Amino acid sequence: MASFRILTLLFVFFNLVLADCECGYSIITPSDDKRYVFTDILESDFVHLDITDTDKAKGYGGFGWAPQEFNMSSVVARGPYGEAFTPQNVISNNIADEQVFSGLGPRGGDAGLKLVVGSEIKKGMVPCADVSTTDVHYYHGTFRAGIKVTDVPGTCSAFFWYMNDTQEIDIEFLSAEFNKSNNTFPVNLVLQSEESKNNGFDASKTGDFKKIHLPFDPTTDFHEYRIDFLPDRVLFYADAQLLTEMKGTGVPSTPGNLQVSHWSNGNMGWSQGPPKTDATTVVSYVKAYFNSSSEARQKDYTLRCKDPSAPMAVCTIPDRNTTYFFGNVANMTPNQTTYHENNGRRARRWQSLPFAAAIATSTWVVGL
Ligand SMILES: *[C@@H]1O[C@H](CO)[C@@H](O)[C@H](O)[C@H]1NC(C)=O
Ligand SMILES: *[C@@H]1O[C@H](CO)[C@@H](O)[C@H](O)[C@H]1NC(C)=O
Ligand SMILES: *[C@@H]1O[C@H](CO)[C@@H](O)[C@H](O)[C@H]1NC(C)=O
Ligand SMILES: *[C@@H]1O[C@H](CO)[C@@H](O)[C@H](O)[C@H]1NC(C)=O
Ligand SMILES: *[C@@H]1O[C@H](CO)[C@@H](O)[C@H](O)[C@H]1NC(C)=O
Ligand SMILES: *[C@@H]1O[C@H](CO)[C@@H](O)[C@H](O)[C@H]1NC(C)=O
Ligand SMILES: *[C@@H]1O[C@H](CO)[C@@H](O)[C@H](O)[C@H]1NC(C)=O
């Protein structure tokens, strides 16, 4: 027992000294083996984190996210119906056991953040759901979401990076396009740009639109969908497999925020619907590793990162590990709590925390 304790302390010490990630988190692009480093992190584990609990969140956007409340008229929504985004359609369905990352939640169906599109039209609008990061300083980065898409036809489930209607990166699932009997499951990958605006926001008339057939049914399980927004291109992935890469003038040039939404407006050319029964898309997590455009955060980075070439100064982001969060490992998210104390980082106790941390250190943490 005593030697176990010493070993444990050694591991803790090792990690305090070395496992810092103080200079950021890195990826290597699959197409050309280039390394990119991002300085900031926001990991949101929606299986355990309740962003709708305003007490715990200490108010609007307390955990970096906020359910949105706004109406879009049918004219603005470009469909026969308007869209009413309401916080009531954003439901946190949390599992209490912090070691368990999947299964049924107490509010029915899969645990995670439920985004509901209602089947009952209210005042000409379809009830819809959207959650957005309250920070709008997300510049280049790698953005990942665990999502199980609804199988009710007639909605659009979207994971996207947004600045405005001509600076936008979208992953969109149209449930009406799915066909289980012939195994057809397309996902639409889009850059909204000046060019798509000039085509009446129909990106399919530009080069920055791809409909890709997924090799799995996105409605039966959670899968990881990912956007890498890089200075000269955007990469899209599903379960760590590169789907496509887009370059050129459609690549955004400003910071923005992250959103996950679920909506319908009856437009036969896109969402179709509205759905005949309430439709639910569930988000298990969003993990964002990014460069912030905030001057304060850039200054923090300069103070924090003494030597990017030091061993362990930059941590490698694991590929599609749905249960791995840097924030759950001791000392790997220094200076990253950007809203209030103990944010997305719950006071978590891994059963064997020091060992988990040590394994993470040896496997994923590499120097420059
Ligand atoms: C992010 O910011 C860091 C620090 O300024 C910089 O070294 C790095 O190259 C930036 N990453 C990208 C992808 O621009
Ligand atoms: C949206 O429209 C409904 C119905 O007209 C109205 O009750 C609600 O207050 C509106 N919400 C917002 C945020 O304007
Ligand atoms: C979006 O933002 C960019 C950069 O600020 C700007 O040039 C463009 O006109 C904006 N587009 C719209 C539709 O507002
Ligand atoms: C499969 O179903 C889709 C959607 O219903 C349809 O567009 C497509 O033509 C079908 N493909 C085949 C090979 O039947
Ligand atoms: C699904 O695919 C099957 C086989 O190709 C086809 O017969 C059926 O009409 C399709 N369903 C829809 C809703 O398009
Ligand atoms: C994912 O992360 C967890 C938690 O750190 C770890 O136990 C597990 O081995 C990792 N899985 C893979 C496939 O790397
Ligand atoms: C990061 O560290 C700097 C310097 O200690 C501090 O001023 C700043 O508030 C910290 N920021 C966060 C988000 O922890």
Side-chain angles (χ1 to χ4, degrees):
M1 198 57 204
S3 63
F4 175 79
R5 259 196 222 110
I6 289 164
L7 197 63
T8 303
L9 281 171
L10 276 174
F11 272 113
V12 170
F13 180 68
F14 189 74
N15 280 293
L16 282 178
V17 175
L18 297 174
D20 264 345
C21 324
E22 75 270 14
C23 295
Y25 306 86
S26 70
I27 57 163
I28 301 210
T29 50
S31 50
D32 57 3
D33 252 14
K34 274 199 178 163
R35 187 163 182 270
Y36 292 86
V37 177
F38 306 109
T39 59
D40 284 53
I41 183 169
L42 180 81
E43 293 174 321
S44 308
D45 166 8
F46 293 127
V47 170
H48 299 106
L49 182 71
D50 185 353
I51 61 161
T52 67
D53 182 333
T54 41
D55 287 343
K56 272 195 211 138
K58 297 184 186 152
Y60 182 82
F63 293 112
W65 290 91
Q68 298 297 301
E69 180 159 27
F70 62 96
N71 290 336
M72 277 170 97
S73 68
S74 63
V75 175
V76 177
R78 299 188 283 266
Y81 300 97
E83 298 158 20
F85 289 87
T86 89
Q88 289 73 36
N89 283 25
V90 176
I91 299 160
S92 266
N93 194 18
N94 297 133
I95 291 179
D97 186 339
E98 305 211 321
Q99 314 285 334
V100 176
F101 285 87
S102 61
L104 299 180
R107 294 182 173 180
D110 292 288
L113 193 65
K114 304 211 289 187
L115 304 177
V116 181
V117 174
S119 52
E120 193 184 319
I121 310 293
K122 290 183 183 145
K123 301 213 163 129
M125 291 182 289
V126 183
C128 300
D130 177 290
V131 288
S132 302
T133 62
T134 46
D135 190 345
V136 293
H137 293 115
Y138 293 79
Y139 204 16
H140 301 125
T142 178
F143 309 119
R144 300 148 186 226
I147 302 175
K148 183 171 169 183
V149 181
T150 185
D151 63 359
V152 178
T155 73
C156 175
S157 299
F159 173 46
F160 59 113
W161 173 98
Y162 185 79
M163 151 66 193
N164 64 23
D165 288 353
T166 55
Q167 303 262 339
E168 178 174 344
I169 306 169
D170 284 307
I171 296 183
E172 295 191 300
F173 301 89
L174 308 179
S175 51
E177 289 187 336
F178 301 154
N179 188 335
K180 284 176 195 270
S181 63
N182 76 4
N183 232 14
T184 299
F185 302 105
V187 59
N188 298 280
L189 310 173
V190 188
L191 302 183
Q192 295 288 6
S193 59
E194 283 298 329
E195 198 189 349
S196 63
K197 181 183 161 197
N198 296 337
N199 284 287
F201 290 100
D202 183 353
S204 68
K205 298 205 175 90
T206 76
D208 299 325
F209 173 87
K210 286 228 169 83
K211 192 184 290 295
I212 303 231
H213 289 275
L214 295 168
F216 52 79
D217 179 349
T219 71
T220 50
D221 285 303
F222 287 90
H223 292 272
E224 182 177 275
Y225 303 98
R226 165 175 161 197
I227 294 167
D228 286 359
F229 170 23
L230 303 176
D232 60 339
R233 56 196 164 135
V234 175
L235 287 74
F236 296 91
Y237 307 74
D239 289 345
Q241 296 299 306
L242 185 64
L243 297 176
T244 194
E245 197 168 322
M246 294 181 192
K247 293 184 177 170
T249 54
V251 176
S253 55
T254 63
N257 74 359
L258 297 177
Q259 302 190 30
V260 194
S261 73
H262 191 197
W263 56 272
S264 178
N265 59 20
N267 180 334
M268 281 315 291
W270 199 249
S271 73
Q272 308 188 40
K276 291 210 168 63
T277 59
D278 289 1
T280 301
T281 282
V282 189
V283 189
S284 54
Y285 62 81
V286 173
K287 299 174 183 175
Y289 311 92
F290 62 101
N291 276 3
S292 174
S293 60
S294 141
E295 273 178 36
R297 288 301 291 153
Q298 290 170 2
K299 208 172 134 225
D300 284 357
Y301 164 78
T302 312
L303 289 173
R304 179 173 78 236
C305 173
K306 307 275 183 320
D307 176 10
S309 69
M312 320 300 178
V314 174
C315 298
T316 303
I317 304 165
D319 266 352
R320 204 205 171 204
N321 185 327
T322 56
T323 62
Y324 186 79
F325 295 81
F326 284 104
N328 288 342
V329 184
N331 211 40
M332 292 183 94
T333 51
N335 199 230
Q336 295 288 354
T337 305
T338 48
Y339 24 100
H340 65 73
E341 274 180 20
N342 207 25
N343 58 59
R345 299 190 54 187
R346 287 146 292 122
R348 180 191 196 95
R349 274 166 231 98
W350 284 104
Q351 250 135 31
S352 56
L353 171 92
F355 295 101
I359 290 161
T361 303
S362 54
T363 316
W364 291 321
V365 183
V366 294
L368 271 173

